[in-house]
Amino acid sequence: EAGVAQSPRYKIIEKRQSVAFWCNPISGHATLYWYQQILGQGPKLLIQFQNNGVVDDSQLPKDRFSAERLKGVDSTLKIQPAKLEDSAVYLCASSYRDRGLRYEQYFGPGTRLTVT
Amino acid sequence: LAKTTQPISMDSYEGQEVNITCSHNNIATNDYITWYQQFPSQGPRFIIQGYKTKVTNEVASLFIPADRKSSTLSLPRVSLSDTAVYYCLVGDISNQGGKLIFGQGTELSVKP
């Protein structure tokens, strides 16, 4: 099956500019996540969607970050305006629950953002 | 959410068994233990998940003592390609979706 797709893979912008990332989860996965991973750290959850509703956005800097998941499938994450500390890899993941209660998140390759 | 503690880094040699222990003293009754592997420039990849005792799959084993306050990921006969960062996560997966918190992870370096 096709994995989680993300684009672009790399993006370089200047501070105060805006940027958007796109994610296409695995077909049939109801839950979608956006993570921010700063170099040398583990991924940090920014927002979690269940279908097209937000389950958790407690760590999303809402003054500059926004995310949406239209029709419960694709999702976009936007940063406006960007700051130097936003330089990181932005990971998208999706998940479903199988019959055996195993719960696994499938991650995309990420978008590496550099803010100069 | 339970906090996890694991070694920052470990070194091993090809062919050896590697055991990475994770401490999670505040684990809750509904929490499961999950391990992910991450290679450079890639997203994390699921390795194994368990609730208690021992779980084994084709790539690893997970040992969980009765008190569940720690867990050990065992990688048999590692190769150079097992060089990666390994994350231990603890969280309640009983509801749809689940929320998992990634720590800093253990950077495993396998040498020839």
Side-chain angles (χ1 to χ4, degrees), chain A residues 33 37 50 56 97 101 103, chain B residues 32 38 93 96-97 99:
Chain A
Y33 310 79
Q37 186 171 27
Q50 182 68 21
D56 184 346
R97 173 172 303 293
L101 195 64
Y103 165 68
Chain B
Y32 278 68
Q38 186 175 27
I93 63 170
Q96 180 63 39
K99 178 177 178 178

Side-chain angles (χ1 to χ4, degrees), chain A residues 1 26-33 50 94-106, chain B residues 96-97:
Chain A
E1 67 180 359
I26 293 174
S27 177
H29 284 196
T31 311
L32 184 146
Y33 310 79
Q50 182 68 21
S94 67
S95 71
Y96 79 107
R97 173 172 303 293
D98 71 13
R99 291 173 295 175
L101 195 64
R102 165 174 154 157
Y103 165 68
E104 176 178 349
Q105 291 188 26
Y106 295 80
Chain B
Q96 180 63 39

Side-chain angles (χ1 to χ4, degrees), chain A residues 9 30-31 33 35 37 40-43 45 48 50 56 58 91 95-97 101-105 107-109 112, chain B residues 32 34 36 38 41-47 49 57 87 92-105:
Chain A
R9 291 296 313 277
T31 311
Y33 310 79
Y35 289 87
Q37 186 171 27
Q41 299 181 16
L45 179 66
Q48 176 182 343
Q50 182 68 21
D56 184 346
S58 58
L91 295 162
S95 71
Y96 79 107
R97 173 172 303 293
L101 195 64
R102 165 174 154 157
Y103 165 68
E104 176 178 349
Q105 291 188 26
F107 284 82
R112 182 176 299 277
Chain B
Y32 278 68
T34 310
Y36 279 79
Q38 186 175 27
S41 301
Q42 294 186 25
R45 185 178 70 171
F46 177 97
I47 302 175
Q49 185 175 79
N57 62 21
Y87 294 98
D92 185 354
I93 63 170
S94 60
N95 57 325
Q96 180 63 39
K99 178 177 178 178
L100 298 176
I101 306 297
F102 283 81
Q104 192 165 2

Side-chain angles (χ1 to χ4, degrees), chain B residues 77-91:
Chain B
R77 300 182 59 78
V78 294
S79 64
L80 296 176
S81 62
D82 292 317
T83 293
V85 178
Y86 292 81
Y87 294 98
C88 165
L89 299 88
V90 172

